[in-house]
Amino acid sequence: FDLRLAEFGKRLSESLSASSPQNLEPLFAVRRSISQHDRHSRERRRLDRVDMAMRLVRWVLERDDSQELKSLAEAASQHLAEGGFVDWARLTLRSGDPVRDLSEAYAKLFESVTTIREQQSRRFAELLQDWTASKTTDELIVPVEQVLERIVAPIATHKPVLVIVIDG
């Protein structure tokens, strides 16, 4: 089982150097072989990390950086659609694996994804700063100061509403 995981780690490292997601078949083949091993059903957490790594490497290779986000609404929509999932998968890999080749591949993938996410976060911050400075109103983005007025009050006219505020 560990030998198959080591092979997956090697293929994962190679995949990070690939130019397109079409070159991921060797990685998928090793993943299938891992599923066929007797121990696979007892190693659920490790297999979850393997699957997260597969999703992340595909995400890295399929991304299109040519289209820069132009609005805070676009950036928020992107984060809602994929950013949270990417961060969840990325942080899942942070714990590594007892198999050295796999752990090293996870670290490499973690660094690649972290670099991309930091760039996206910087862009989000720039757009937020511009949006805040322009005092723009937007149907898609509701500042916390307007949540009661724009969201809760209309619902409260039809049904009772309980609002819980948690300050972290």
Side-chain angles (χ1 to χ4, degrees):
F1 186 75
D2 285 351
L3 290 174
R4 293 180 190 193
L5 289 176
E7 183 64 23
F8 182 83
K10 290 174 188 168
R11 296 288 174 239
L12 180 59
S13 290
E14 291 170 3
S15 297
L16 287 170
S17 303
S19 58
S20 74
Q22 285 77 28
N23 300 331
L24 295 178
E25 183 49 42
L27 184 67
F28 296 145
V30 176
R31 174 59 179 99
R32 286 189 295 273
S33 77
I34 292 169
S35 295
Q36 295 165 355
H37 194 281
D38 293 345
R39 271 183 53 194
H40 90 275
S41 61
R42 292 175 290 177
E43 299 282 358
R44 192 68 244 155
R45 292 188 68 157
R46 291 173 85 186
L47 291 176
D48 286 345
R49 282 194 299 271
V50 164
D51 291 338
M52 295 285 191
M54 289 181 61
R55 289 183 192 113
L56 282 176
V57 74
R58 183 183 298 142
W59 177 80
V60 167
L61 295 175
E62 289 179 349
R63 287 175 48 276
D64 180 11
D65 287 332
S66 65
Q67 301 284 328
E68 184 173 292
L69 298 173
K70 294 176 178 41
S71 73
L72 183 61
E74 282 181 22
S77 293
Q78 181 189 56
H79 181 75
L80 185 62
E82 65 182 34
F85 295 113
V86 169
D87 288 339
W88 172 40
R90 176 178 61 101
L91 295 174
T92 299
L93 297 184
R94 189 169 50 182
S95 59
D97 192 88
V99 174
R100 187 173 140 232
D101 288 332
L102 184 54
S103 193
E104 288 173 357
Y106 284 167
K108 191 174 173 182
L109 180 57
F110 178 87
E111 288 302 318
S112 296
V113 174
T114 297
T115 299
I116 294 166
R117 290 296 292 144
E118 286 174 354
Q119 292 169 350
Q120 290 175 337
S121 293
R122 272 192 294 282
R123 181 64 183 147
F124 188 94
E126 292 166 358
L127 293 167
L128 177 60
Q129 181 180 15
D130 293 346
W131 185 82
T132 304
S134 70
K135 300 184 190 298
T136 306
T137 57
D138 191 321
E139 289 300 312
L140 297 174
I141 299 174
V142 180
V144 70
E145 299 85 10
Q146 298 175 11
V147 167
L148 289 176
E149 176 187 336
R150 289 177 56 186
I151 307 243
V152 177
I155 296 170
T157 61
H158 303 292
K159 296 195 179 268
V161 176
L162 172 65
V163 176
I164 299 174
V165 179
I166 300 174
D167 184 5

